[in-house]
Amino acid sequence: MNRSPHFSHQTDLPLDKQVLNISVNMARLSEWIADSYASHKPLIDIFMKQTENYLNDLSNQNVSESFKPTLTRFRMEFEKLREEIEDEKNKLYWAEKALTWANILQHRAKLV
């Protein structure tokens, strides 16, 4: 298991880097969900938990007013993904949503 200090939490990083790390995780999740959920389930579980921790870290920090709506909306979408991720019939839908959020977060990281 990875013992890097940034594996579970990242509050020592600048806010924009924290958002970019979440973005990268969402892109990874998108690929694994679309490719073959069952064969990637251990990785998906790890990165879902890591992303949840990163999101909680970010939510407890002082983000800009211009980024707050993005953070709120992403948190809602991430919760839906967590609840429905194992639904085989929706895997391509969720892969697309995860990739869309990866792009949105990448572009909005500068607003943090």
Side-chain angles (χ1 to χ4, degrees):
M1 184 55 92
N2 188 336
R3 298 291 181 227
S4 166
H6 293 137
F7 184 74
S8 294
H9 299 282
Q10 58 177 3
T11 55
D12 60 325
L13 296 175
L15 291 174
D16 62 330
K17 301 295 187 260
Q18 293 179 45
V19 173
L20 290 173
N21 282 342
I22 293 170
S23 171
V24 169
N25 279 4
M26 294 308 292
R28 288 175 176 146
L29 288 163
S30 172
E31 181 179 344
W32 295 330
I33 291 167
D35 184 31
S36 174
Y37 178 86
S39 65
H40 295 298
K41 184 166 180 2
L43 280 174
I44 290 170
D45 290 344
I46 289 168
F47 278 84
M48 286 294 290
K49 182 62 177 166
Q50 182 185 59
T51 304
E52 181 181 358
N53 288 342
Y54 285 1
L55 187 55
N56 287 336
D57 288 346
L58 192 60
S59 295
N60 293 325
Q61 296 179 64
N62 189 21
V63 299
S64 71
E65 289 299 318
S66 59
F67 186 74
K68 282 182 182 178
T70 300
L71 184 59
T72 299
R73 181 71 190 265
F74 174 67
R75 179 177 282 289
M76 290 184 334
E77 292 292 327
F78 187 76
E79 288 299 318
K80 286 181 191 175
L81 174 59
R82 235 177 34 161
E83 293 169 7
E84 300 175 6
I85 195 167
E86 294 185 38
D87 184 354
E88 186 67 27
K89 68 180 180 181
N90 287 330
K91 74 176 191 171
L92 293 179
Y93 170 77
W94 280 113
E96 181 65 29
K97 290 285 263 187
L99 187 57
T100 298
W101 274 106
N103 289 327
I104 290 168
L105 293 172
Q106 179 182 6
H107 291 287
R108 296 199 180 157
K110 62 183 171 248
L111 298 176
V112 181

